[in-house]
Amino acid sequence: MFTREEALAEAIKCSGCGFCLSVCPVYEAVGIETLSSRGRVDTLRGVLLGQLELSERMMQILDTCLLCRACEEVCPPGVKLHRVLMEGRAKAVRQRGLPWAKRLAFRRLLKDRRYLSRALGYLRPLLKEDRGIPGSKIRHLPSLFSGIAGGRGLPPIASRPLRARVGPVTAPVGNPRGRVGFFSGCYMEFVETGMGDATVGVLSQEGFEVFYPREQTCCGAPALYSGDVEDALEIALKNARAFLSQKLDSVIVGCATCFDCLKKGYSSLSSSLQGEEKEMLEEFSSMVEESSSFLVKKGLSRRRRLSSPNLVTYHDPCHLSRGGAIVREPRELLASIEGLELKEMSQPRRCCGGGGSFGLAHPEISIEIGRWKVQDIQATGAKIAVTSCPGCILQIQEVARREGAEIKAVHLMELLHGAL
Amino acid sequence: MKRSLIKEFRKIVGEKRCLWTPEDLYAYSHDCYARGNPELVLIVKSSEEVSSILRIANREGIPVTPRGAGTSLCGATTPIRGGIVLATNQMNRILEVSQEDRLAVVEPGVVTLRLHQAVESVGLFYPPDPASSAMSLIGGNVATNAGGPRCLKYGVTRDYLMALEVVLADGEILRTGSRAVKDVTGYDLTRLMCGSEGTLGVITRITVRLIPKPECKKTILTSFRTVEEASQMVSMIIGAGILPTTLEFMDHAYIRTVEDLMHLGLPVEAGAMLLIEVDGFREAVERQAKMIESFCRERGALGVQVGMTQEESDQLWAGRRMGTVALMRSAKLMISHDATVPASKIPDMVAHTHRIAREADLKVVIIGHAGDGNMHPIFLLDPSREGEMDRFRKASEELFLFTVRCGGTLSGEHGIGIEKNPFLHLQVDEVGVRTMKAIKAALDPKGILNPGKFV
Ligand SMILES: Cc1cc2nc3c(=O)[nH]c(=O)nc-3n(C[C@H](O)[C@H](O)[C@H](O)COP(=O)(O)OP(=O)(O)OC[C@H]3O[C@@H](n4cnc5c(N)ncnc54)[C@H](O)[C@@H]3O)c2cc1C
Ligand code: SF4
Ligand code: SF4
């Protein structure tokens, strides 16, 4: 990952100008500089220079970042906050062991069943479950929780995981245009399986044979973003092996966070490897494509239309619009659907506040940030918010429900799939 | 600080807004210039809280440094004597925007840009636009009398203040000014507070005057072979009685930096560039733009570019605002001066700055809100180089002497803070200092408000 030197090189670039304060959603929600982008860079620099320790407060500073990277986008000297932060988290794991992130997540989620569904995806890799044998362990999870949580109910996990519904190979419809791998990710695999169906479905509609290897596991983002480099590496290699055993044009991902992890995360992870493993991880990472951008590159072969005209708005997941710079492509796909009108919200690229396990550990902050997003969506008059990340979808749905807002969040691939 | 005192303060603001872990103190210890060592951070939400806090602090003689967004460039926000940092960012309500009375009433923690947006959405305009407006707070702007590019035509923060609520050192609440555009009742305490850098009181409510929003604006970009030519052009434009909204000067190095940041296709070969904006009624804007265009062409501009799209000019301005900090990409330390001279002296000032920097073996980049003579020589420093900081101090002194000699001032907008405190005597004589000291002593006899700054 990033070395102490790399992290420090980033941190000392900070001039304290504060431009990032204008976009850090956490700062806007909490109004405390210590938990702002500038505060994070500053205090982490303090840690790297040995002026501050990895105290409890420091853990909160590390933990309350969404890693949305909005701050990096406006930073004039170009401080890459995530490098500093990830090194901070990795250092915390080295010094204090892993549990802090998990502990927090557990504590929260056991208290509130709404977070359980989201939690599942993030817990699996932390529990070091093997996604290769679904069923047995996953069934244990709810019972484990229901016991501790005082019987407050089970997470709405899909009754059948995606792999029970989609076969290892899906044939193309019409003229074959190539062979791709499908990386499902935990949400599509266990929670929102319909999005997985739809992504495979669109690829097949578009003439691609879809290979869906069973050996794949979670992308490892929860481990990686918690600073648990060791486990993240293990997971990464496992995924690379699962896909490289076949001849594929690309590996398609429908989840923004997984995409960011497989693309950027793995390539930085590979720097700590050598030889064959390093090459393998780099090769895999280079094959990864986000679903909408892949489809735009290849060009849609079929025309799609909505049965009745509809107004939608599009939310840019942080991990696409920043990490991968995919902003134009989803809009192009939307524009290609007949009967669909896109009305932009005022700040489509502002974080929804989901931020992976962030929502579990800091529900108040997360919901506050989500509320702005929902209001922004409502202001467009659209009843449907389209996006490309199941994590954002869950967050938007949940906050909308709380706020009593009548909006629905859907995955772009679901929309495309249904519009044929 | 004694435990019992912390408890007393905590009672006022509650647990969540009373911070004293080493990390919190670290995060609140600095502005863009220097770092201090506060003992306690209190985040306030009302004038009453501020008043209760100051009452205790005054009783105990504890230093209190008000804080906005901490974007000061001169150490004004740095708590150099310890004590309390009083953060105002959560006092962030816009209480009123009145179209009838053309004014807005706000709390000090409102971000400048938010005020801009709020008043512009109802067709009004608040002109002061420091380059930090995306994050600076209006309270900080008032306390530093912030300026910005548009001040050439519209004036600075001071010119838009109508009334203030200020909590004095002993906790008493002072109300200055009124909602009337004209007001000569008593001393002008509003203007006294403006620019006082937190040394005379804590500003807790601000009434600003607004003007109608100009119908349209236009950006003109002109480039020149040399900095001399560009700086002469500035003097000529002002001398010819043309009054653009902004007249920004950027030298070669700055153009390069903005281009690398934003990729706008700027004339990177030019020695210097002037970024000019005109605003007003459409017809007037067209005419003014043409006038400036031909004026610059006739007088030897390398290139003149008019008719940018709104997006292009927004990008260009964003580049202008961020460029200064982006210089940090190529420097370990960056200090931006804001010495200001009468417009006719700008060519001299530019030539002088270059000479001083050359002689002191220092790197300097020059930009400026040139129209009003407010130049920003930005020094790019490497403190690890032998004697560099000493040479920088000497160069600064020489520069300040020059500005004062030609009728200018040490600081046009950034303020004095701790950076320019040692040089204050160059401009303010003994009588001036005595007067300032008397004012300070009258309002803050124990000297608890932002001590170590100014006087
Ligand atoms: C990138 C950048 C560009 C800048 N461009 C400009 C520019 O174009 N023009 C310009 O004038 N300045 C500029 N500045 C300087 C700075 O932004 C301004 O001085 C700004 O007004 C400070 O606002 P702040 O909220 O950050 O105040 P702070 O830095 O937090 O405080 C500044 C001073 O005001 C006092 N203060 C703050 N709030 C209160 C209050 N409520 N009551 C009493 N005292 C208070 C503080 O004690 C301190 O002395 C720039 C700074 C940066 C980093
Ligand atoms: S924008 Fe960049 S340089 Fe400025 S305070 Fe934030 S991290 Fe530091
Ligand atoms: S990544 Fe997002 S949440 Fe984290 S500091 Fe930057 S802007 Fe704030």
Side-chain angles (χ1 to χ4, degrees):
Chain A
M1 279 310 288
F2 307 110
T3 61
R4 176 186 172 275
E5 283 64 38
E6 280 170 315
L8 189 59
E10 291 300 327
I12 58 172
K13 280 197 279 186
C14 173
S15 68
C17 68
F19 271 108
C20 55
L21 296 180
S22 62
V23 295
C24 175
V26 174
Y27 177 57
E28 192 167 352
V30 301
I32 295 175
E33 278 194 42
T34 323
L35 305 181
S36 72
S37 39
R38 183 175 65 187
R40 272 183 249 282
V41 177
D42 190 45
T43 50
L44 279 163
R45 174 169 52 191
V47 170
L48 292 167
L49 292 173
Q51 296 167 350
L52 290 174
E53 282 166 25
L54 279 171
S55 62
E56 273 307 312
R57 183 61 165 163
M58 206 60 225
M59 290 300 130
Q60 287 171 7
I61 296 170
L62 286 169
D63 193 39
T64 49
C65 177
L66 284 157
L67 279 176
C68 71
R69 298 190 209 164
C71 51
E72 296 182 6
E73 226 171 40
V74 300
C75 174
V79 175
K80 298 270 174 291
L81 170 109
H82 77 279
R83 296 196 175 177
V84 190
L85 198 99
M86 300 276 280
E87 164 54 17
R89 287 186 180 174
K91 191 178 160 102
V93 172
R94 289 197 299 270
Q95 267 186 26
R96 303 169 59 118
L98 179 59
W100 64 271
K102 285 196 289 182
R103 253 198 343 251
L104 273 171
F106 278 119
R107 243 187 263 149
R108 290 295 186 180
L109 110 175
L110 292 181
K111 281 191 196 140
D112 193 334
R113 127 184 121 88
R114 276 178 298 255
Y115 299 111
L116 264 172
S117 66
R118 280 207 209 157
L120 192 68
Y122 290 92
L123 288 177
R124 293 185 53 75
L126 297 174
L127 292 172
K128 290 211 190 176
E129 284 216 3
D130 187 347
R131 288 266 307 273
I133 33 168
S136 59
K137 282 190 182 172
I138 203 73
R139 254 180 252 125
H140 284 137
L141 208 57
S143 50
L144 170 79
F145 285 136
S146 61
I148 309 173
R152 276 174 54 187
L154 309 176
I157 306 166
S159 54
R160 294 162 68 213
L162 186 64
R163 63 189 61 194
R165 303 163 43 156
V166 177
V169 178
T170 303
V173 179
N175 276 347
R177 296 168 72 198
R179 183 161 201 246
V180 298
F182 169 63
F183 183 88
S184 62
C186 298
Y187 275 131
M188 290 196 187
E189 184 74 51
F190 294 109
V191 186
E192 297 285 352
T193 50
M195 297 175 198
D197 269 339
T199 310
V200 174
V202 171
L203 289 168
S204 147
Q205 285 172 350
E206 287 299 318
F208 295 95
E209 184 184 7
V210 186
F211 172 62
Y212 172 24
R214 301 317 210 219
E215 302 77 30
Q216 64 179 294
T217 180
C218 163
C219 66
L224 185 64
Y225 296 156
S226 322
D228 179 8
V229 178
E230 208 178 302
D231 286 324
L233 259 175
E234 208 178 293
I235 293 169
L237 286 169
K238 186 167 176 166
N239 282 325
R241 284 196 192 98
F243 284 89
L244 291 177
S245 66
Q246 296 279 322
K247 243 193 108 42
L248 301 169
D249 304 337
S250 305
V251 175
I252 312 301
V253 191
C255 166
T257 304
C258 296
F259 170 69
D260 186 58
C261 180
L262 299 183
K263 200 85 196 162
K264 300 224 157 162
Y266 282 17
S267 69
S268 61
L269 272 173
S270 71
S271 65
S272 49
L273 291 173
Q274 273 164 358
E276 203 187 319
E277 288 189 329
K278 184 183 171 77
E279 274 170 33
M280 194 168 71
L281 205 52
E282 278 168 1
E283 187 190 345
F284 173 63
S285 180
S286 71
M287 286 169 67
V288 171
E289 298 257 14
E290 192 275 328
S291 51
S292 70
S293 109
F294 174 77
L295 289 173
V296 167
K297 254 182 235 166
K298 296 288 176 186
L300 288 182
S301 62
R302 295 167 161 245
R303 283 183 44 189
R304 289 176 168 76
R305 58 192 306 258
L306 293 181
S307 43
S308 57
N310 225 326
L311 182 71
V312 306
T313 188
Y314 183 78
H315 160 70
D316 287 291
C318 298
H319 283 142
L320 288 196
S321 65
R322 283 180 268 277
I326 297 170
V327 176
R328 177 184 51 87
E329 293 87 339
R331 291 176 171 78
E332 253 178 56
L333 290 183
L334 286 173
S336 75
I337 302 177
E338 267 176 59
L340 181 145
E341 190 194 337
L342 173 68
K343 175 117 193 281
E344 296 282 358
M345 58 187 106
S346 74
Q347 289 179 284
R349 300 184 55 190
R350 181 174 180 157
C351 183
C352 67
S357 55
F358 184 90
L360 308 173
H362 309 285
E364 302 89 0
I365 306 177
S366 169
I367 284 164
E368 175 72 16
I369 298 170
R371 202 171 287 141
W372 301 324
K373 181 53 77 179
V374 166
Q375 283 163 3
D376 204 2
I377 294 171
Q378 279 183 300
T380 63
K383 298 268 178 276
I384 298 176
V386 186
T387 186
S388 309
C389 181
C392 301
I393 291 174
L394 278 172
Q395 165 80 354
I396 294 171
Q397 301 268 45
E398 186 181 310
V399 178
R401 200 168 41 237
R402 273 172 175 264
E403 297 284 292
E406 275 177 41
I407 50 174
K408 205 174 148 224
V410 303
H411 196 286
L412 176 55
M413 292 301 132
E414 290 178 298
L415 203 67
L416 284 176
H417 192 234
L420 196 68
Chain B
M1 193 177 296
K2 276 187 291 189
R3 243 353 241 215
S4 59
L5 271 174
I6 296 185
K7 262 200 186 139
E8 221 177 314
F9 287 123
R10 195 172 55 190
K11 240 195 240 138
I12 299 169
V13 296
E15 205 158 323
K16 277 197 172 159
R17 292 187 280 122
C18 173
L19 314 170
W20 74 89
T21 71
E23 292 74 23
D24 289 298
L25 300 179
Y26 198 84
Y28 281 90
S29 67
H30 60 91
D31 56 16
C32 294
Y33 181 74
R35 203 179 271 283
N37 290 306
E39 296 156 85
L40 186 66
V41 177
L42 299 173
I43 304 175
V44 289
K45 277 209 159 160
S46 68
S47 322
E48 291 69 35
E49 286 180 2
V50 176
S51 165
S52 310
I53 291 165
L54 286 186
R55 212 160 291 210
I56 302 171
N58 198 44
R59 184 188 78 206
E60 304 288 331
I62 300 169
V64 176
T65 306
R67 182 177 179 86
T71 66
S72 156
L73 296 169
C74 61
T77 336
T78 306
I80 50 176
R81 302 269 164 83
I84 296 168
V85 167
L86 201 76
T88 55
N89 64 309
Q90 291 196 23
M91 283 184 83
N92 59 1
R93 292 177 303 165
I94 295 179
L95 300 166
E96 181 188 354
V97 177
S98 164
Q99 281 171 289
E100 294 79 30
D101 294 340
R102 268 202 215 142
L103 56 80
V105 183
V106 298
E107 292 187 324
V110 173
V111 173
T112 314
L113 183 66
R114 241 188 87 215
L115 177 62
H116 284 155
Q117 289 166 341
V119 305
E120 283 173 38
S121 72
V122 294
L124 292 169
F125 192 47
Y126 174 71
D129 62 336
S132 52
S133 55
M135 61 277 186
S136 73
L137 306 187
I138 196 76
N141 289 171
V142 175
T144 59
N145 188 13
R150 291 202 289 242
C151 296
L152 169 59
K153 177 171 173 185
Y154 291 109
V156 293
T157 303
R158 180 172 58 209
D159 302 313
Y160 292 86
L161 293 181
M162 300 178 81
L164 294 176
E165 178 187 87
V166 184
V167 181
L168 299 176
D170 59 4
E172 293 289 333
I173 297 179
L174 165 74
R175 292 188 179 82
T176 76
S178 67
R179 286 169 70 100
V181 178
K182 293 167 132 186
D183 183 348
V184 293
T185 314
Y187 291 134
D188 193 343
L189 298 177
T190 310
R191 289 190 166 210
L192 175 63
M193 290 297 161
C194 180
S196 65
E197 294 183 14
T199 62
L200 297 180
V202 180
I203 300 158
T204 48
R205 186 170 290 200
I206 300 154
T207 306
V208 293
R209 183 167 71 85
L210 305 171
I211 59 176
K213 190 178 171 209
E215 185 181 83
C216 81
K217 56 185 179 184
K218 197 159 197 162
T219 302
I220 304 151
L221 199 153
T222 63
S223 54
F224 298 84
R225 253 171 298 272
T226 63
V227 281
E228 288 75 25
E229 282 177 34
S231 59
Q232 276 154 13
M233 180 60 72
V234 175
S235 296
M236 283 195 279
I237 291 176
I238 298 298
I242 302 172
L243 181 59
T245 314
T246 70
L247 180 38
E248 297 283 301
F249 175 98
M250 300 175 204
D251 75 1
H252 176 76
Y254 202 85
I255 301 172
R256 216 8 329 149
T257 305
V258 175
E259 180 58 26
D260 288 348
L261 194 68
M262 314 289 291
H263 312 289
L264 301 168
L266 296 177
V268 287
E269 302 310 324
M273 191 170 103
L274 297 179
L275 183 55
I276 306 172
E277 194 176 88
V278 288
D279 69 2
F281 291 111
R282 198 167 302 280
E283 300 76 18
V285 165
E286 291 300 333
R287 238 183 94 189
Q288 260 197 313
K290 280 221 179 68
M291 212 162 111
I292 293 171
E293 185 186 349
S294 51
F295 193 88
C296 292
R297 280 198 204 285
E298 281 158 24
R299 284 161 185 78
L302 202 59
V304 184
Q305 192 186 334
V306 211
M308 263 173 263
T309 63
Q310 188 58 44
E311 192 177 301
E312 283 167 337
S313 92
D314 286 350
Q315 287 279 30
L316 190 51
W317 280 103
R320 159 64 190 83
R321 281 191 293 272
M322 291 166 70
T324 314
V325 191
L327 289 169
M328 274 291 275
R329 286 172 192 244
S330 56
K332 292 205 171 122
L333 177 68
M334 180 196 87
I335 295 180
S336 163
H337 282 322
D338 62 327
T340 302
V341 295
S344 62
K345 300 285 192 224
I346 291 172
D348 276 0
M349 161 96 176
V350 170
H352 233 77
T353 308
H354 277 139
R355 187 186 54 75
I356 293 172
R358 201 170 45 243
E359 284 172 13
D361 187 23
L362 296 172
K363 259 198 223 151
V364 72
V365 176
I366 305 183
I367 59 165
H369 314 305
D372 50 23
N374 186 352
M375 301 303 283
H376 291 306
I378 304 170
F379 288 88
L380 305 182
L381 305 166
D382 179 354
S384 63
R385 263 179 82 198
E386 173 95 31
E388 178 120 331
M389 295 317 283
D390 277 337
R391 279 181 281 118
F392 169 66
R393 251 180 301 276
K394 277 210 202 87
S396 301
E397 177 152 11
E398 231 182 289
L399 190 69
F400 292 147
L401 270 172
F402 170 79
T403 34
V404 172
R405 233 184 289 130
C406 56
T409 174
L410 294 186
S411 173
E413 55 180 23
H414 294 168
I416 298 301
I418 46 184
E419 183 207 2
K420 293 183 212 81
N421 219 350
F423 305 112
L424 199 62
H425 68 273
L426 295 179
Q427 190 179 334
V428 184
D429 65 11
E430 231 178 279
V431 186
V433 171
R434 214 186 311 133
T435 311
M436 288 191 195
K437 281 199 165 139
I439 294 172
K440 172 78 175 169
L443 291 176
D444 178 18
K446 288 198 173 176
I448 62 161
L449 287 170
N450 203 0
K453 318 288 169 68
F454 259 51
V455 285

